[in-house]
């Protein structure tokens, strides 16, 4: 297996002191600096400077959770890709289902954000995924295709990006997709990427997200088209996030 990418999405959690405690424990774990796993932590915007001060730890990078599609201007409360880059980020999540559903972000907007991220020299981690209603109506593939088509239309020249498959029904619910369900969609995404991007499509890393825990990480990460994980709840404690990193490292 290629080097897994394991991403922490802290969402709207943690103050500075809690972030420092996390990084003190996390950064001294030898597996983190061993290079077997690529670790990315995406904290809230207020914690980016604190997080960036630990980014000299080998194999640890910092990411934003969202960005505005514009470069700068009168957009009160927003943050641009260049600002994230300036704060020490190398990655940024775009199109997380909480953004798509709670803040009504369309696939076209998500594609614009991915493009803005690349323009700011950030690698976008583009999240896609179906709702329970979509799955029950056998629309999973159709939904994923539509979400990715927008990305291909708006940003055909993205130098580099990552795709995270996160079934909405599995996020924060404890209801993880079975490894077979996740693999089926990952194989479909891989096929779409190759159809649209040719050989380059094989180089895009595909992550699974949605109720990943230390207990289920191994069975997910051993699927042929799952190359890493996007972890919410289980990334808030250094100990549980490290257990997931250790599972990834054992597969190398
Ligand atoms: P979860 O969140 O691991 O808590 O389900 C994943 C995510 O929202 O990225």
């Amino acid at each position: 297996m290629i080097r897994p990418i394991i991403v922490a999405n802290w969402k709207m959690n943690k103050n500075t002191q809690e972030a420092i405690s996390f990084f003190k424990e996390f950064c001294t774990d030898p597996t983190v600096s061993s290079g077997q796993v690529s670790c990315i932590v995406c904290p809230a915007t207020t914690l980016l400077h604190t997080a960036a001060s630990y980014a000299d730890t080998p194999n640890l990078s910092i990411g934003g959770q969202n960005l505005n599609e514009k470069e700068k201007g009168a957009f009160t409360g927003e943050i641009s890709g260049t600002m994230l880059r300036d704060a020490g980020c190398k990655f940024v999540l775009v199109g997380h289902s909480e953004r798509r559903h709670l803040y009504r972000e369309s696939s076209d907007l998500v594609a614009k954000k991915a493009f803005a991220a690349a323009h700011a020299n950030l690698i976008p981690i583009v999240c896609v995924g179906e709702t329970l209603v979509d799955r029950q109506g056998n629309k999973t593939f159709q939904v994923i295709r539509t979400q990715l088509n927008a990305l291909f239309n708006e940003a055909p020249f993205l130098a580099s990006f990552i795709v995270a498959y996160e079934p909405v029904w599995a996020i924060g619910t404890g209801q993880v997709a079975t490894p077979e369900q996740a693999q089926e969609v990952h194989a479909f995404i891989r096929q779409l990427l190759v159809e649209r991007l040719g050989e380059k499509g094989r180089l895009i890393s595909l992550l699974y997200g949605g109720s990943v825990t230390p207990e289920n990480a191994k069975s997910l990460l051993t699927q042929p088209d799952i190359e890493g994980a996007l972890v919410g709840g289980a990334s808030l404690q250094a100990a549980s996030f490290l257990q997931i990193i250790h599972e990834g490292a054992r597969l190398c």
Side-chain angles (χ1 to χ4, degrees):
M1 172 171 190
I2 58 159
R3 190 161 80 126
I5 300 171
I6 314 277
V7 186
N9 175 13
W10 284 357
K11 310 190 182 185
M12 199 170 73
N13 292 293
K14 287 197 191 293
N15 60 29
T16 305
Q17 213 39 56
E18 289 163 342
I20 290 172
S21 308
F22 176 97
F23 283 114
K24 278 192 172 154
E25 184 177 345
F26 187 76
C27 295
T28 48
D29 186 279
T31 311
V32 173
S33 41
S34 72
Q36 290 160 293
V37 175
S38 178
C39 311
I40 303 168
V41 175
C42 302
T45 307
T46 52
L47 302 172
L48 284 176
H49 279 290
T50 302
S53 69
Y54 291 90
D56 56 353
T57 307
N59 310 302
L60 171 65
S61 301
I62 306 304
Q65 295 180 7
N66 179 38
L67 80 165
N68 189 277
E69 70 279 16
K70 301 277 187 350
E71 232 177 296
K72 60 177 164 179
F75 303 104
T76 303
E78 292 293 289
I79 188 160
S80 72
T82 44
M83 289 170 177
L84 289 174
R85 185 75 209 180
D86 182 51
C89 293
K90 290 193 178 151
F91 296 84
V92 60
L93 301 175
V94 295
H96 187 281
S97 74
E98 285 149 20
R99 302 291 322 170
R100 289 180 189 263
H101 294 281
L102 299 175
Y103 300 98
R104 305 259 181 276
E105 292 192 2
S106 67
S107 292
D108 287 343
L109 178 61
V110 170
K112 285 193 178 108
K113 289 187 174 201
F115 190 77
H119 192 65
N121 210 8
L122 295 164
I123 297 180
I125 302 172
V126 183
C127 305
V128 296
E130 83 287 4
T131 63
L132 190 57
V133 172
D134 296 332
R135 180 160 278 266
Q136 287 169 340
N138 283 327
K139 292 197 177 128
T140 298
F141 292 154
Q142 189 185 318
V143 167
I144 304 286
R145 182 191 292 276
T146 306
Q147 291 174 342
L148 282 174
N149 271 345
L151 183 74
F152 296 135
N153 291 341
E154 281 283 340
F157 305 115
L158 285 180
S160 173
F161 64 97
I162 292 171
V163 175
Y165 168 56
E166 296 205 302
V168 179
W169 48 272
I171 295 178
T173 58
Q175 198 188 341
V176 65
T178 64
E180 295 72 27
Q181 281 174 323
Q183 166 56 28
E184 186 186 30
V185 180
H186 278 239
F188 174 73
I189 294 173
R190 175 68 68 211
Q191 184 194 323
L192 272 183
L193 290 169
V194 173
E195 259 172 45
R196 294 296 294 259
L197 304 173
E199 281 311 296
K200 189 181 153 194
R202 293 193 196 286
L203 304 176
I204 309 288
S205 296
L206 302 185
L207 317 182
Y208 170 80
S211 296
V212 176
T213 61
E215 291 71 34
N216 60 32
K218 183 177 173 190
S219 60
L220 291 160
L221 292 171
T222 44
Q223 296 302 309
D225 290 298
I226 300 184
E227 294 158 327
L230 176 52
V231 188
S235 74
L236 290 173
Q237 302 305 323
S240 56
F241 191 52
L242 280 167
Q243 282 179 52
I244 296 172
I245 303 277
H246 295 167
E247 291 298 346
R250 270 188 218 113
L251 302 174
C252 290

